[in-house]
Amino acid sequence: MSLHSHAPTAHDADQPRERWFVHRPKVYAADVHGRFRRLKWLALAVLLGVYYVTPWLRWERGPGIPDQAVLVDMVGRRAYFFWIEIWPQEVYYLTGLLIIGAFGIFFATTLLGRIWCGYACPQTVWTDLFMWVERKLEGPRTERIRLDKAPLSARKLGLKASKHAIWLAISLVTGGAWIFYFNDAPTLLREIVTGEVSWKVLAFAGLFAGTTYFFAGWAREQICIYVCPWRSFQAAMVDEDTYVVTYQDWRGEGRAPLRKSQSWDERTAEGLGDCIDCKLCIHVCPTGTDIRKGQQISCIGCGLCVDACNEVMAQVGRPGDLILFDNRSNQVAKADGQAAPVRLLRPRTVIYALIILVVAGAMAISLAMRPTLDVSVLRDRAPLYVQQSNGDVQNAYTIKILNKTHEARTYRLSVEGLANADLSVASVDAQSGRSLTLTAEADSVATYRIFVRVPQDAAKPGSTDVTVLARDLTSGEIGQHRSVFMAP
């Protein structure tokens, strides 16, 4: 069979066209009052407070060392978190934090569904703040809809301009607060005010401000539904005992509007349920989800629909919690007139908790026991060795002594595993002997080029395993590193 192109006909024009992209209706979230709305306001206030205040906290560490409590010092190659100081070679602590964070979200999701998405995710927090500004300026949901449909006017232009100006101000403050975590906050603020700040700092602040403005002001729920990968993972984290936002269809169906002259006995006789199809649960949802259709990937588990439905149920004189946080097991039991037991301890919750405890415990022990001295040794490979005129064999090493204390220290360097080894330093005032006295400044790495020489009759042919030792003459702490000594 051959394929031939043909000109469109009248019949083709009558056929419905398949749309490759379906426009998503804009979500106009209505305001709501209730315990979950208050909980979201509390979470927003605490999280934003922590974010904006933390860079200004001080922590005294000693002279010449940053006193910002939380600081990622890119220039000094350090990360400070109150009393903890992380060096570049200790990046595994960051890995540990990421593991704890990931399994912490797994644990929370297994118990309470997408509670992270609904209350603590930065996208949710800043979007909630932006929507609050929008409601304050443009009014309730119905007024915002009418305003968007109305033709352009001075009032509409003023409201829109004011809203976006406040959004941009919040975004700039957000981006500015973020760069404070990578620079000394008071110093950077002074540089910003005086115009002495570098263009790199301004570029990063503008980048974070721009993403905040776009994500929270324009993209909003589309980030949660289409972009964020967690909305796909969370389906594998929940089970029949996970507490999620649930519409009790056994009680609410069939749904129908409540007529003024209709009593609840009449509705029951007609086979109707408690849901009066007011759609307020959809109108207050920040993602526009109809929870009555069951669990959906767009639901972020914030519980605002619970507050809205309870308010309506109170107005019509019906019991609350037609929509509530519940699990599948309990819903099945309720439909049969029973109640399912609460099962918080389940295999997956126990496993997640154990992983968090093990990783956190290992990090705590490692931090408590980590040394203040570290030694690294790099042996020259070209040449492998040098045989001097008197027959002695010499190897060259680059030795780095890491002093993690906040004061200068002196160390005694020696080599074990070689008989009659003589050590010397490649410098103008070179010293030599069976051991060397070396120094390292406070909170720094001291680098030395060391020569190790062995008499010909004491040098073993081939490779000999050796250990380079550095003893802190103040504390007695010993750092060591294994290497080899090469000979003919």
Side-chain angles (χ1 to χ4, degrees):
M1 183 179 68
S2 60
L3 299 177
H4 301 280
S5 61
H6 63 277
T9 64
H11 175 73
D12 295 331
D14 293 337
Q15 300 300 314
R17 294 184 178 181
E18 180 181 354
R19 299 185 64 182
W20 290 5
F21 174 78
V22 178
H23 177 71
R24 179 173 175 81
K26 182 177 179 179
V27 175
Y28 294 89
D31 198 8
V32 65
H33 303 281
R35 63 180 184 274
F36 293 108
R37 177 65 268 182
R38 290 192 295 270
L39 185 59
K40 279 180 67 67
W41 285 134
L42 177 62
L44 183 147
V46 171
L47 293 173
L48 290 182
V50 170
Y51 175 75
Y52 288 118
V53 171
T54 297
W56 300 93
L57 301 178
R58 302 291 102 182
W59 190 272
E60 182 60 38
R61 298 185 179 93
I65 304 172
D67 64 347
Q68 188 162 309
V70 179
L71 173 67
V72 180
D73 186 1
M74 304 298 290
V75 177
R77 298 181 181 180
R78 304 284 189 279
Y80 301 96
F81 186 79
F82 292 94
W83 66 92
I84 300 174
E85 180 179 347
I86 304 298
W87 289 64
Q89 57 269 39
E90 296 175 327
V91 69
Y92 47 82
Y93 286 118
L94 176 60
T95 304
L97 287 177
L98 293 176
I99 293 174
I100 292 174
F103 281 94
I105 296 179
F106 294 168
F107 180 78
T109 302
T110 302
L111 291 177
L112 298 171
R114 294 182 68 177
I115 188 171
W116 160 264
C117 300
Y119 290 88
C121 175
Q123 173 66 16
T124 297
V125 172
W126 266 274
T127 298
D128 218 7
L129 179 60
F130 275 44
M131 293 172 69
W132 175 80
V133 172
E134 187 175 62
R135 287 194 297 268
K136 289 298 181 182
L137 289 176
E138 298 182 359
R141 179 177 184 273
T142 54
E143 292 186 15
R144 298 201 305 275
I145 294 176
R146 285 198 297 266
L147 181 66
D148 282 356
K149 291 181 178 180
L152 185 62
S153 63
R155 177 179 178 273
K156 181 176 180 178
L157 183 61
L159 289 175
K160 295 293 183 181
S162 300
K163 178 182 71 175
H164 286 279
I166 295 176
W167 282 0
L168 284 171
I170 296 173
S171 301
L172 289 172
V173 174
T174 301
W178 179 249
I179 60 175
F180 285 154
Y181 285 88
F182 298 85
N183 300 268
D184 181 67
T187 302
L188 181 58
L189 180 61
R190 183 173 62 253
E191 292 176 351
I192 293 175
V193 172
T194 59
E196 299 174 356
V197 64
S198 69
W199 68 267
K200 294 180 180 179
V201 173
L202 291 179
F204 275 103
L207 174 64
F208 289 112
T211 53
T212 302
Y213 174 72
F214 176 73
F215 288 166
W218 293 91
R220 293 189 178 179
E221 77 283 349
Q222 297 181 65
I223 297 296
C224 305
I225 299 174
Y226 303 113
V227 179
C228 178
W230 179 240
R231 92 269 194 267
S232 299
F233 297 155
Q234 62 94 21
M237 299 290 107
V238 301
D239 55 29
E240 64 275 5
D241 293 301
T242 301
Y243 282 83
V244 294
V245 179
T246 304
Y247 167 67
Q248 303 190 100
D249 53 0
W250 56 270
R251 174 186 155 189
E253 301 297 314
R255 72 182 80 138
L258 178 63
R259 301 189 300 270
K260 291 184 178 180
S261 60
Q262 186 183 39
S263 67
W264 284 102
D265 291 337
E266 292 174 343
R267 284 181 63 91
T268 303
E270 295 174 10
L272 300 178
D274 284 355
C275 179
I276 63 173
D277 203 22
C278 64
K279 295 184 175 59
L280 191 58
C281 57
I282 307 174
H283 295 164
V284 301
C285 179
T287 62
T289 302
D290 187 352
I291 195 62
R292 298 173 300 176
K293 295 180 180 179
Q295 283 299 303
Q296 299 157 69
I297 203 169
S298 58
C299 175
I300 62 173
C302 62
L304 295 183
C305 55
V306 178
D307 289 339
C309 189
N310 284 342
E311 186 176 341
V312 172
M313 289 295 101
Q315 291 175 359
V316 299
R318 297 299 294 168
D321 290 342
L322 176 59
I323 303 175
L324 76 168
F325 275 89
D326 205 353
N327 58 58
R328 178 62 182 170
S329 297
N330 201 32
Q331 282 297 300
V332 173
K334 281 182 178 180
D336 295 334
Q338 302 174 358
V342 177
R343 295 180 61 244
L344 298 180
L345 294 179
R346 310 192 296 275
R348 63 177 62 196
T349 60
V350 172
I351 292 173
Y352 294 155
L354 286 177
I355 292 175
I356 295 172
L357 290 175
V358 169
V359 175
M363 290 178 61
I365 294 173
S366 176
L367 285 170
M369 300 181 62
R370 68 174 181 171
T372 60
L373 166 63
D374 192 19
V375 178
S376 65
V377 178
L378 179 64
R379 190 181 63 82
D380 285 4
R381 296 181 179 272
L384 291 177
Y385 58 86
V386 173
Q387 191 161 18
Q388 299 180 334
S389 58
N390 62 354
D392 290 353
V393 180
Q394 178 177 283
N395 283 198
Y397 302 84
T398 299
I399 296 180
K400 293 185 177 182
I401 300 177
L402 173 60
N403 176 16
K404 296 182 181 179
T405 67
H406 299 321
E407 57 184 16
R409 291 293 177 91
T410 303
Y411 306 92
R412 180 74 66 188
L413 186 76
S414 61
V415 175
E416 289 187 349
L418 284 177
N420 301 321
D422 185 75
L423 283 64
S424 60
V425 184
S427 61
V428 178
D429 54 342
Q431 56 173 308
S432 62
R434 301 299 182 193
S435 62
L436 301 174
T437 302
L438 306 176
T439 59
E441 296 298 323
D443 207 31
S444 66
V445 178
T447 303
Y448 294 92
R449 183 168 171 79
I450 304 296
F451 298 115
V452 179
R453 187 174 65 254
V454 176
Q456 184 178 17
D457 56 354
K460 297 180 181 179
S463 175
T464 302
D465 293 333
V466 297
T467 302
V468 178
L469 301 175
R471 179 188 295 274
D472 189 331
L473 298 183
T474 301
S475 65
E477 184 178 356
I478 297 177
Q480 61 181 19
H481 194 282
R482 294 185 181 277
S483 187
V484 294
F485 183 88
M486 302 297 297

